[in-house]
């Protein structure tokens, strides 16, 4: 029974069937903690986003998405908030 349960957990894990990319976005005009909260919220609500975290210190957002994800969706989401995002880099899985 334990073996069957372990096999199920492995097959159900997204890491097994899909690789993820890390997208680093430069976000202009973030000047306060509320800015970070707004950017985080809109990115996390974007379909397909696995994880998103913005930083006031670096003025960047780091977003985890499935491999092959359309990064323009991330930029469009940020644009809706009034901020401007520019893709800094996309790190492919190794």
């Amino acid at each position: 029974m334990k073996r069957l349960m372990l096999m199920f957990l492995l097959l159900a894990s997204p890491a097994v069937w899909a690789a993820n990319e890390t997208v680093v976005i430069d976000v202009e005009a973030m000047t306060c903690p509320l800015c970070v909260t707004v950017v985080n919220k809109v990115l996390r609500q974007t379909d397909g986003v696995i994880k998103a975290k913005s930083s006031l210190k670096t003025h960047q957002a780091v977003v985890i998405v499935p491999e092959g994800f359309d990064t323009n969706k991330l930029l469009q989401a940020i644009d809706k908030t009034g901020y401007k995002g520019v893709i800094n880099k996309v790190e492919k899985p190794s």
Side-chain angles (χ1 to χ4, degrees):
M1 182 68 163
K2 287 182 183 179
R3 189 179 213 178
L4 182 61
M5 187 179 251
L6 179 61
M7 188 183 312
F8 172 77
L9 290 174
L10 287 174
L11 292 175
S13 171
V16 171
W17 48 265
N20 298 327
E21 297 177 342
T22 301
V23 181
V24 179
I25 304 170
D26 295 330
V27 183
E28 299 172 10
M30 283 199 307
T31 58
C32 69
L34 183 57
C35 301
V36 171
T37 301
V38 169
V39 171
N40 281 340
K41 184 175 180 179
V42 74
L43 288 171
R44 290 172 182 165
Q45 291 176 343
T46 303
D47 284 339
V49 170
I50 297 166
K51 186 175 181 182
K53 183 167 176 73
S54 301
S55 169
L56 185 58
K57 184 177 180 179
T58 63
H59 296 281
Q60 291 182 326
V62 178
V63 187
I64 308 298
V65 295
E67 188 173 19
F69 185 84
D70 180 8
T71 56
N72 285 323
K73 290 181 181 180
L74 302 174
L75 298 178
Q76 290 169 355
I78 292 172
D79 285 346
K80 288 180 188 176
T81 66
Y83 301 101
K84 177 76 174 153
V86 177
I87 302 294
N88 179 302
K89 65 181 170 180
V90 178
E91 297 173 355
K92 306 282 185 184
S94 48

